Amino acid sequence: MIEKPRGTRDFLPEETSRRRAVEKKMRDTAERWGYAEIKTPTFEHLELFTLKSGEGIINEIYAFEDKGGRMLALRPEITAPVIRVYIHEMQNRQKPLRLYYFDNCFRYERPQKGRFREFWQFGVELIGGRRDLASFEMIALSVDILRAIGLDDFDLHLGDIFLLKRSITRGNSGLDEEKQRKIFRLIDKKDYNTLNTFLKDEKINGEDLFALLDLKDLSDLGDIEKIFDPDEKDEIEDIQRVLDLLSTYDIHPRLDFSIARGLDYYNGIVFEIYSHGLGAQKQICGGGEYELIELFGGKPESTRGFALGFDRIMEIVKESERDEKKILVVATEECRKDAITLSKELRKRFVVETDLMGRNLKAQLAYANSVGINFAVIVGRKEIEDNRFTLKNLASGEQVYLTLDELIETLGKD
RNA sequence: GCCGAGGUGGGGUAAUGGCCAUCCUGAAGGACUGUGGAUCCUUCGAUCCGGGUUCAAUUCCCGGCCUUGGCCCCA
């Protein structure tokens, strides 16, 4: 027996149906905000991803050489491909550009709860837009999507990488990139003890940084101004405006300047959403403002986006299987052809099955019952002679004797 | 990459160094050739893979694969 590869999953019809239902709600919500779907290739040049995230990530990428000697990679994420497309084909479009995607991604990692080697991301990229308005829209849309699929129990954290960076560069001129990166990593891990020791050893002034990390609530906003006064007035006002706009959607993020999001190209407002009950992998959404376009050689443009971890969301989202009315046309042996003719008619409007097993009437009904068919339409000699059909409601057991038109009308109700 | 737990029919399980590997469920058929869910009967179907120990391994040992909880990482 050949097994499926490590970290991949098969989705049986029931689960696939659940996933589709949730996917559809996400798409509908994004589209209602004016976002249009974009599709990019499943594999790309490896360089696209190393350029964005550094050589170090090759270990966690499904990378391979093709027969022409090209280094390729199964996409580990979709932001970089979207930005690539933007630079090649959409730079001259009118802004803002509202794009969304839903596709599978691949990472060569140790699978665990909520983490697979093939996984799905629903994401959005917003290119252009004034910083405060655009950041508001990103956060509001991500929350709107989660609410649309019935999720309410999550924590939204809002941070600002620009202020975070400034808090350590302001009082420490000439701080090299490597140290800065190490500081960021410790912040992201919330390992403040090690951070404190490191700063002392390196004689780095961490006063502003720790003051910033201490801030938790909206009411602390005034304190930010004290820390940076008056240098970063614009950025602080942006945060204030974003929070104010978010209140129209009844969204009240927690300030959390420990969001470092690891990477250099983030700058400005960032956010993460965490859910409960997912063990170590509790983050279901991450996003913010980033500067990738220049890195890829395009004209600078304000950009931001977010990605939702679809598989993690499916672990916590409540059942939402849609229930379409299903019909089995049940026939006696001599009337099978008539049953098929009737099915052809009914399929114009309904989900209709016919017996393929050569079962007798009783067994056909037993089958219908066990697979959750809602209605049986019985076709036998009597029906053909009368030019009528027997409609049986399998839930109630009620039976009625109807003409074709009446049958369609009855089935079409509710 | 590291630490821990685990792997028996399609799903859920029991047991065992040797005898037809247990039970539930499921599926197919029948009792019942124009009416489902109940009951009874028949049938189908499993010890993850490889090596070792042994007269004999599903059982004990080693390795691999996969799953799972966590660490690292997390674009």
Side-chain angles (χ1 to χ4, degrees):
Chain A
M1 287 290 285
I2 297 175
E3 307 286 342
K4 65 187 182 305
R6 182 176 167 82
T8 63
R9 291 156 296 158
D10 297 311
F11 301 105
L12 305 188
E14 299 76 17
E15 176 66 5
T16 302
S17 157
R18 280 186 70 228
R19 291 172 69 93
R20 283 283 187 228
V22 173
E23 175 193 335
K24 185 168 187 303
K25 285 181 191 160
M26 290 180 163
R27 288 176 181 277
D28 287 350
T29 306
E31 284 171 14
R32 213 163 299 164
W33 283 70
Y35 286 73
E37 184 177 11
I38 185 166
K39 295 283 268 189
T40 62
T42 305
F43 56 89
E44 296 268 1
H45 288 291
L46 176 60
E47 198 187 355
L48 178 68
F49 302 111
T50 54
L51 188 60
K52 172 170 181 258
S53 308
E55 296 289 324
I57 60 154
I58 293 179
N59 289 329
E60 277 130 46
I61 284 184
Y62 272 94
F64 58 98
E65 190 180 322
D66 77 358
K67 292 177 184 184
R70 291 171 275 257
M71 282 312 296
L72 301 176
L74 298 182
R75 57 178 172 222
E77 49 102 15
I78 303 184
T79 296
V82 169
I83 296 304
R84 174 186 59 70
V85 177
Y86 166 74
I87 291 171
H88 286 306
E89 317 208 30
M90 298 193 290
Q91 278 203 91
N92 291 329
R93 292 209 185 187
Q94 191 159 41
K95 307 294 182 302
L97 221 44
R98 292 183 167 103
L99 304 169
Y100 83 88
Y101 57 81
F102 176 79
D103 268 309
N104 52 350
C105 300
F106 307 84
R107 293 183 191 176
Y108 196 87
E109 294 182 293
R110 167 79 153 79
Q112 51 181 280
K113 188 175 177 66
R115 178 189 282 185
F116 307 93
R117 288 185 168 181
E118 183 189 26
F119 59 97
W120 274 259
Q121 279 199 338
F122 186 99
V124 155
E125 309 298 342
L126 171 57
I127 299 169
R130 204 175 77 192
R131 302 182 70 217
D132 54 339
L133 296 173
S135 284
F136 151 73
E137 179 156 311
M138 284 296 87
I139 296 169
L141 174 55
S142 66
V143 170
D144 205 28
I145 289 173
L146 292 177
R147 287 176 177 169
I149 61 175
L151 283 185
D152 258 318
D153 189 22
F154 51 77
D155 296 326
L156 168 62
H157 289 208
L158 184 150
D160 190 303
I161 303 276
F162 178 78
L163 290 183
L164 190 64
K165 282 178 178 167
R166 288 292 291 140
S167 74
I168 50 172
T169 52
R170 242 158 59 104
N172 303 286
S173 53
L175 184 64
D176 70 55
E177 294 240 327
E178 199 179 316
K179 282 178 190 162
Q180 216 182 109
R181 213 165 290 165
K182 172 152 188 183
I183 292 170
F184 267 52
R185 172 163 303 188
L186 291 170
I187 293 170
D188 200 38
K189 277 197 223 171
K190 302 192 174 18
D191 185 354
Y192 299 139
N193 288 332
T194 313
L195 176 62
N196 212 351
T197 314
F198 179 75
L199 293 178
K200 273 185 186 143
D201 290 351
E202 297 288 335
K203 300 204 171 13
I204 296 168
N205 177 2
E207 203 179 310
D208 289 351
L209 174 61
F210 280 111
L212 191 64
L213 291 175
D214 271 344
L215 305 180
K216 291 275 184 286
D217 295 313
L218 196 55
S219 57
D220 292 336
L221 267 177
D223 295 337
I224 305 182
E225 293 177 30
K226 279 182 214 149
I227 298 169
F228 291 103
D229 184 62
D231 295 2
E232 315 302 350
K233 202 153 170 279
D234 291 349
E235 188 74 16
I236 295 164
E237 282 175 1
D238 274 347
I239 295 176
Q240 278 167 329
R241 275 194 295 269
V242 168
L243 291 173
D244 186 42
L245 292 170
L246 284 173
S247 66
T248 63
Y249 267 76
D250 203 25
I251 298 169
H252 305 284
R254 194 179 127 178
L255 286 187
D256 177 2
F257 289 92
S258 71
I259 299 175
R261 297 214 52 88
L263 292 172
D264 302 333
Y265 54 79
Y266 278 97
N267 202 356
I269 292 174
V270 292
F271 63 102
E272 294 184 341
I273 299 175
Y274 310 95
S275 187
H276 314 289
L278 277 174
Q281 313 295 330
K282 63 185 172 133
Q283 189 186 325
I284 54 174
C285 177
E289 179 176 354
Y290 56 83
E291 291 164 357
L292 265 185
I293 295 180
E294 297 107 293
L295 183 65
F296 287 0
K299 269 193 323 223
E301 184 67 62
S302 167
T303 46
R304 60 215 85 221
F306 64 83
L308 293 160
F310 187 73
D311 305 281
R312 291 179 190 174
I313 285 170
M314 286 310 300
E315 301 233 343
I316 49 176
V317 79
K318 294 180 187 63
E319 301 296 318
S320 64
E321 212 169 333
R322 73 199 159 104
D323 233 1
E324 196 155 3
K325 194 180 290 179
K326 282 185 286 192
I327 297 159
L328 178 70
V329 174
V330 173
T332 58
E333 192 57 42
E334 58 187 340
C335 295
R336 286 191 186 275
K337 190 170 177 187
D338 301 296
I340 286 170
T341 306
L342 173 64
S343 306
K344 181 185 168 199
E345 200 56 38
L346 293 178
R347 278 200 187 103
K348 290 173 184 166
R349 294 198 39 197
F350 310 107
V351 177
V352 180
E353 288 186 34
T354 55
D355 174 57
L356 293 183
M357 300 291 280
R359 289 178 167 119
N360 62 34
L361 195 69
K362 185 184 178 73
Q364 290 180 47
L365 284 165
Y367 163 82
N369 183 61
S370 73
V371 299
I373 297 271
N374 309 97
F375 293 93
V377 179
I378 300 171
V379 183
R381 177 178 293 172
K382 185 168 68 113
E383 280 81 0
I384 298 303
E385 282 169 2
D386 293 354
N387 207 15
R388 283 173 170 258
F389 301 99
T390 302
L391 173 65
K392 186 181 183 83
N393 180 328
L394 288 176
S396 66
E398 284 172 54
Q399 254 178 233
V400 281
Y401 202 45
L402 303 171
T403 64
L404 178 60
D405 288 345
E406 290 166 345
L407 178 62
I408 290 171
E409 196 199 323
T410 305
L411 285 171
K413 281 180 194 159
D414 74 9

